[in-house]
Amino acid sequence: MQLLDGKLTAAAYKAQLAAQVKNLQSQGLRPPHLAAILVGDNGASETYVASKVKNCAEVGFESTLIRLTANTTEAELLDTITQCNNNDAIDGILVQLPLPKHISEQKVIEAIDPAKDVDGFHPVSVGKLVQGLDTFVPATPYGIMLMLEHYNINTKGKHAVVIGRSNIVGRPMSVLLSSNHPYGNCTVTVAHSHTHNLADLCKQADIVVAALGKPGFVTADMIKPGAVVIDVGITRVADATKKTGFAIKGDVDFDSVAPLTSYITPVPGGVGLMTIAGLLQNTLKAYLFRKGITL
Ligand code: GUN
C-alpha cells in the first residue's frame, strides 16, 4: 500500500504555480487574482475559504475575501457577483457553498461570468466538460486527476466506482474518469443512494472514489485487493480529545481498508489539499485566458 500524499503533491503543483507567477511578474504583468465570496458563518466554509485565501498568497496570487452576513439577500449577492464580473482586476470568482436557504445556489452559479468560473459549476463549464472541451474542471475532481497524474496511476480500461453523484464531486469525477484522457479511459459506475448491492459493485472496482459524506462508510469487505481508493469525505465528527472539539473523518474506514489497497488517500492530508491545487490551477487558467496568454 502506498499513500497518495496530498500535502506533498499539492506542494509540487504549488511550486510550479509560484514559478509561473514569478515569470509573469518578471514580464511586468500583475499576478492572478481570485475573489472568494463567503455568505454567513458556516464554520467549515470559513475554514475552507481561509485556506483558499492563504494558499493564494503562498503561490503569489492576489485574493479578495468578500464576507457577507447570513441575512444578505439573493439580490445583494447577485449584485456583488456582477461587480466582480465587471472588475477587470479579478480573474476568478468563487462563491463558497452551501448558501443560506433563502438564496438559490443555481441562480448564483449561473450569475458568474463563465470566463471567471474557477469552480467549474456554471452550466457552460459543465457542458464543455461533458463534451470533452477545454474548460474549468471543478476543483476537487480536478485535484484528484492531478494526484492520479502525479503518481502516474494507470487508469486505462479499469473499472471505477464513484460513490456519490453531486455536481461538486461525483458527477464531474465520473465524466473525467470515463473521458479520453491520459488518466481517464475508465469504465465508470456511478453509485448513489438508490444503488442496489453497492458492496458487491465496489468489490469489483479497480478504483473506488468515495464522495458521499458518510464517515467510515467504505469498509474492507467492499474492497478488491490491490484497488486504488480515493477518499473525498471531510465530515466533522465530535471528538473531545481535539482542541477544536471535532476530528475530520473520511468516507473510508482507513484502518481496515488501507492494507488491502495499492494506493489510498488519507484524511486529512489527501484530497482536501488537492482541491486547493485544482482551484489555484483554475485561477491561473482564467487569468491566462482573459489576458490571451499561452504559456
Ligand atoms: N463547498 C464544498 N466544496 C466546494 C467547492 O469546491 N467550491 C465551493 N464554492 N463551495 C464548495
Side-chain angles (χ1 to χ4, degrees):
M1 181 271 290
Q2 187 178 349
L3 271 189
L4 297 170
D5 187 326
K7 201 167 174 182
L8 283 181
T9 312
Y13 285 105
K14 279 167 60 182
Q16 271 179 26
L17 284 164
Q20 283 163 323
V21 173
K22 281 222 169 75
N23 184 27
L24 292 167
Q25 287 181 307
S26 72
Q27 297 169 49
L29 294 163
R30 68 163 175 83
H33 183 170
L34 174 73
I37 304 175
L38 176 61
V39 186
D41 42 25
N42 177 311
S45 290
E46 300 235 7
T47 308
Y48 302 147
V49 171
S51 175
K52 290 171 185 182
V53 166
K54 177 168 160 272
N55 275 272
C56 278
E58 284 171 8
V59 297
F61 288 4
E62 279 179 42
S63 68
T64 300
L65 171 56
I66 301 171
R67 296 196 63 130
L68 302 173
T69 59
N71 56 15
T72 299
T73 64
E74 185 178 277
E76 285 166 343
L77 176 55
L78 293 175
D79 187 49
T80 303
I81 293 169
T82 303
Q83 285 172 33
C84 291
N85 284 341
N86 295 336
N87 184 343
D88 201 43
I90 291 175
D91 303 297
I93 303 167
L94 78 82
V95 180
Q96 188 66 27
L97 304 179
L99 290 169
K101 292 274 176 287
H102 64 279
I103 298 177
S104 158
E105 290 191 351
Q106 193 60 29
K107 270 195 200 162
V108 165
I109 286 167
E110 292 187 23
I112 295 170
D113 178 349
K116 299 188 177 187
D117 177 34
V118 289
D119 260 329
F121 296 163
H122 193 288
V124 167
S125 305
V126 179
K128 286 185 174 177
L129 183 72
V130 171
Q131 293 196 340
L133 303 173
D134 187 26
T135 188
F136 299 110
V137 176
T140 299
Y142 187 15
I144 293 169
M145 296 309 284
L146 293 175
M147 196 164 222
L148 295 175
E149 183 177 336
H150 186 77
Y151 284 88
N152 195 23
I153 290 174
N154 179 21
T155 55
K156 196 168 165 182
K158 305 287 184 190
H159 180 205
V161 170
V162 177
I163 313 174
R165 56 180 165 183
S166 71
N167 290 337
I168 295 181
V169 185
R171 181 74 61 200
M173 192 72 235
S174 69
V175 172
L176 287 163
L177 286 172
S178 67
S179 61
N180 187 357
H181 173 278
Y183 296 90
N185 288 313
C186 290
T187 303
V188 179
T189 302
V190 183
H192 46 75
S193 52
H194 296 278
T195 298
H196 294 162
N197 302 325
L198 178 58
D200 291 345
L201 263 179
C202 282
K203 188 105 193 174
Q204 294 167 35
D206 304 302
I207 300 168
V208 175
V209 179
L212 71 161
K214 288 195 177 167
F217 180 87
V218 175
T219 46
D221 56 302
M222 297 165 73
I223 297 298
K224 177 164 87 174
V228 176
V229 175
I230 309 289
D231 189 349
V232 185
I234 38 164
T235 308
R236 290 180 170 197
V237 175
D239 183 340
T241 68
K242 304 274 182 200
K243 249 196 328 210
T244 52
F246 62 84
I248 302 290
K249 291 281 178 214
D251 290 346
V252 176
D253 179 33
F254 186 89
D255 291 345
S256 73
V257 168
L260 286 170
T261 64
S262 54
Y263 295 93
I264 186 167
T265 60
V267 177
V271 170
L273 300 167
M274 293 308 299
T275 295
I276 305 260
L279 173 69
L280 296 174
Q281 294 281 358
N282 278 342
T283 305
L284 177 66
K285 186 187 184 83
Y287 169 94
L288 296 173
F289 173 76
R290 296 184 61 252
K291 294 215 170 271
I293 302 172
T294 39
L295 283 185

